[in-house]
Amino acid sequence: LIARPASTSSVLSETRSFGTRTTNLVLGTVIGLSLVFGYYYLTDTRAGIHQWVAVPSLRWIYDDAEDAHVAGIKALKGLYKFGIHPRERGDPDQAGDLEIKILGHTLRNPIGTSAGIDKHAEIPTALLALGPSIIEIGGITPQAQYGNPKPRVFRLPSQNGLINRYGLNSEGADDMAMRLRQRVREYAFSMGYGIDEIGEQRVLNGEAGVPPGSLVKGKLMAVQVAKNQSTPDDDIEAVKQDYVYCVEKLAKYADIVVVNVSSPNTPGLRGLQKVEPLTNILKGVVSAAQRTDRKSKPAVMCKVSPDEDSEEQVMGICTALMESGVDGVIVGNTTTKRGLDLLPAGSSLSSREANVLLEEQGGYSGPQLFQRTVNLVKRYRSLLDESSNMSVEQGLAASSLSANSRTSSASTKPPSESTASQATLTDRIEATVRRDMANLKESTKEAESDSKSQPLIRLPARNNPFASDTATSEDTPPLSLSTHVDQLPPVEDKPVAESSALARKVIFASGGITTGHEALEVLNAGADLAMVYTVLVVSNAVTSKLSRYLLTGTLTSMAESEQLVASKAR
């Protein structure tokens, strides 16, 4: 048979089919690559779209700043759920030139975010993904409260500033504890520990190798606590119980507990910064934090107002910080000052912004607070370091005096005092015996093993009926009370400098910090960490650009890296 040649129409059809397949392949490849590159671009914190598109869009859609903030929270929460949230790409801190040591932890960089961004612990993990080494969630109150009436947040776009009078709107400590517990249990499940209480406790006790609050290596999570508006300001015990209740509910899920006594939007709260009430409250919080049911205990810090800046006020706060044994202080919050106390002369404001600034009550936050923050950090660093050094010197002197006194007491005491001392010693030993009898444990193999490692009192042969050699010697002293006391192992005193009350206090700086240059300046002023707030929320979206310029900015340049190393070595 002779094959018939293909018709012209058949050839054209095959050609069109090949062209269609090629077009589809190219188009599919372009779409696929666009999706891949689009994903990496949109989920990078450095992408300009967050600053130049997302932020203006939220401003345009939501006239009310609080509504825009809530929308930003929901958006970031939804994006995180599907794994398409903004994050810091790669490992820009791998070089370690920005590492700092704070509160026993090595952190990746000296940047943190202040409370108010995530008030209800809805997006802590998503916030950590943006790049800061510390996030502060809250503030939280014992019982749920609405806060002040809306509208309560106002923008000043020309100043990149914000006025808020939220009034610590909170869903309550129990609600936040539930969310944080679920977060820990989900993490425990992902690590293969189970999703029950046992798995949760394993994570909290450090088996996963991450801080129990942040759940991210090299990062920490702080929880800010406050009192309810309905709690009387003059009832200090009731106020203290508000803070303690929050600590008891939340401390196990926090790396740092922050005591907020500086919000200007809760009547009477700033009055708690006086020495006596502040010391009382902080001691209660420190004690509650030490009772936290996990191996490592959370650090405790106090957040103070930038408006309490007189010499007497700063000295009083430093006294409370030293006496209470907290680990540090966050210097700065929003300010109630207005006019020339806030904005420099010649500042350009629209009539609307001028009305907002002068008429709306609340705390102002913005770049204008930066220089005040730097000055306050210097003052707090100087006073706290001076107090720590004096306390250490006094402690060492007292320890030396006590040791000398014990050494010479036997030879200097008259007979009457010696008899009284002997009686006191007898009472002490009898009290110890009664205490130990009351605390006797059931005899088990573990108890027997533990007892073998305990120091024993050696009886002189003359007083030991079971000794093989009962010969007496003039060198063997008769059995007495002092025989037992002298044979007890020496007490190893903890070095004074290591005491939590005397150790160098940590300072976080918060207020007006918007660039890497400013972060470096507060670090060199004496701060251990620079915290940002307005740079994120003034643009009305938590998905705003938290770029490497903010996190490292010019910090990674050679000259400024050397300055940063010098500041950390101080």
Side-chain angles (χ1 to χ4, degrees), residues 104-116:
H105 298 270
T106 299
L107 305 184
R108 296 180 181 179
N109 60 65
I111 301 296
T113 63
S114 296

Side-chain angles (χ1 to χ4, degrees), residues 6 11-12 14 22 156 187 198 226 329 336 353-354 365 376 419 436 456 465 472 493-494 513 542 567:
V11 173
L12 291 175
E14 290 181 5
T22 303
L156 281 81
Y187 181 84
I198 296 176
V329 59
T336 58
E353 288 181 325
S365 56
L376 268 179
T419 303
D436 293 342
L456 300 176
T472 61
D493 294 330
K494 184 178 181 181
I513 302 167
V542 295
S567 72

Side-chain angles (χ1 to χ4, degrees), residues 489-509:
V491 178
E492 295 183 3
D493 294 330
K494 184 178 181 181
V496 177
E498 293 181 5
S499 169
S500 61
L502 304 181
R504 184 179 186 269
K505 302 299 181 187
V506 172
I507 295 179
F508 294 174

Side-chain angles (χ1 to χ4, degrees), residues 179-220:
R179 296 185 185 192
L180 294 179
R181 179 171 59 250
Q182 182 65 22
R183 176 173 175 262
V184 172
R185 292 192 177 189
E186 288 177 356
Y187 181 84
F189 181 76
S190 71
M191 296 296 293
Y193 298 148
I195 201 168
D196 56 4
E197 185 177 354
I198 296 176
E200 171 192 340
Q201 200 61 39
R202 291 179 67 182
V203 172
L204 295 179
N205 285 333
E207 289 190 34
V210 295
S214 69
L215 305 180
V216 180
K217 190 174 183 180
K219 300 191 176 188
L220 301 177

Side-chain angles (χ1 to χ4, degrees), residues 2-224:
I2 300 174
R4 295 178 59 186
S7 65
T8 305
S9 60
S10 174
V11 173
L12 291 175
S13 176
E14 290 181 5
T15 303
R16 282 196 298 268
S17 177
F18 176 77
T20 301
R21 289 196 299 270
T22 303
T23 302
N24 290 342
L25 177 62
V26 172
L27 184 60
T29 302
V30 170
I31 292 175
L33 291 175
S34 298
L35 289 175
V36 171
F37 284 109
Y39 167 78
Y40 278 97
Y41 175 76
L42 294 174
T43 57
D44 193 326
T45 57
R46 294 166 292 186
I49 192 171
H50 302 304
Q51 182 178 10
W52 305 113
V53 177
V55 171
S57 297
L58 282 172
R59 275 185 183 171
W60 181 73
I61 296 171
Y62 298 98
D63 184 61
D64 182 80
E66 182 177 358
D67 290 343
H69 183 83
V70 172
I73 291 286
K74 290 180 178 179
L76 188 53
K77 187 176 181 180
L79 292 172
Y80 181 79
K81 182 178 180 180
F82 293 102
I84 53 176
H85 58 288
R87 70 204 72 182
E88 199 172 36
R89 288 289 176 193
D91 191 4
D93 299 322
Q94 186 177 13
D97 54 342
L98 293 177
E99 279 190 355
I100 57 172
K101 293 186 182 297
I102 292 179
L103 303 172
H105 298 270
T106 299
L107 305 184
R108 296 180 181 179
N109 60 65
I111 301 296
T113 63
S114 296
I117 299 172
D118 185 12
K119 285 179 170 288
H120 311 303
E122 297 179 88
I123 52 168
T125 309
L127 274 183
L128 286 166
L130 295 179
S133 62
I134 292 182
I135 63 168
E136 182 187 3
I137 62 174
I140 199 72
T141 55
Q143 307 301 322
Q145 63 181 28
Y146 180 77
N148 293 320
K150 294 182 179 181
R152 51 193 181 185
V153 186
F154 309 91
R155 306 173 180 128
L156 281 81
S158 69
Q159 304 301 314
N160 292 320
L162 196 72
I163 293 176
N164 90 80
R165 53 169 181 262
Y166 278 112
L168 288 169
N169 55 310
S170 167
E171 296 181 3
D174 292 275
D175 179 85
M176 180 178 282
M178 178 185 66
R179 296 185 185 192
L180 294 179
R181 179 171 59 250
Q182 182 65 22
R183 176 173 175 262
V184 172
R185 292 192 177 189
E186 288 177 356
Y187 181 84
F189 181 76
S190 71
M191 296 296 293
Y193 298 148
I195 201 168
D196 56 4
E197 185 177 354
I198 296 176
E200 171 192 340
Q201 200 61 39
R202 291 179 67 182
V203 172
L204 295 179
N205 285 333
E207 289 190 34
V210 295
S214 69
L215 305 180
V216 180
K217 190 174 183 180
K219 300 191 176 188
L220 301 177
M221 184 177 75
V223 176
Q224 185 192 108

